[in-house]
Amino acid sequence: QVQLVESGGGLVQAGGSLRLSCAASGRTFSTLTMAWFRQAPGKLREFVAAMKKNSGTTYAADFVKGRFTVSKNNAKNTGYLQMAGLEPEDTAVYYCAAGSGNPISGVLRFASTYEYWGQGTQVTVSS
């Protein structure tokens, strides 16, 4: 059974940066496709970014606009979401997700692509 634990969330001023971590146990992260989603109060969960397990190719939602970077450290079995240029609209609970498949890029943005989920970490951006 794969367990994912996020950390690194917190309160930051607009324009600031945060790095979220996603520690995996129960399976080597290199065998998993990883993604980040977020959910703001009163809104649906939305895709943020993903990294495919074999190619390491990354994909990001349009709203990221080059501000966020997804990466993995296989030696530490940990994934990351580096966020810069944060805006109040980025306030949300951020979730790490992972899946054993190697899906086509078109389905990376769907939550159903991923079998494993973390508990989430709160990111709050003040104006």
Side-chain angles (χ1 to χ4, degrees):
Q1 182 70 17
V2 175
Q3 290 188 326
L4 304 175
V5 178
E6 301 99 333
S7 61
L11 174 64
V12 63
Q13 288 187 330
S17 301
L18 280 175
R19 187 178 78 161
L20 306 183
S21 298
C22 175
S25 60
R27 186 162 171 177
T28 304
F29 223 148
S30 61
T31 66
L32 298 168
T33 288
M34 180 189 74
W36 290 89
F37 288 74
R38 71 184 188 183
Q39 187 166 16
K43 295 188 176 181
L44 297 175
R45 189 170 298 191
E46 64 178 349
F47 170 76
V48 177
M51 174 180 279
K52 295 186 71 174
K53 66 177 183 179
N54 290 337
S55 64
T57 305
T58 60
Y59 302 84
D62 290 343
F63 65 78
V64 168
K65 300 175 187 175
R67 300 178 297 135
F68 298 175
T69 302
V70 60
S71 63
K72 287 194 293 185
N73 184 325
N74 291 330
K76 295 185 177 181
N77 223 31
T78 301
Y80 303 97
L81 182 68
Q82 178 70 50
M83 304 186 292
L86 285 162
E87 303 165 352
E89 294 73 23
D90 295 316
T91 294
V93 177
Y94 283 71
Y95 296 91
C96 174
S100 6
N102 194 29
I104 59 174
S105 59
V107 300
L108 288 172
R109 68 184 185 275
F110 298 123
S112 57
T113 298
Y114 307 94
E115 305 105 277
Y116 311 111
W117 290 82
Q119 82 289 349
T121 185
Q122 176 70 46
V123 172
T124 303
V125 185
S126 63
S127 56

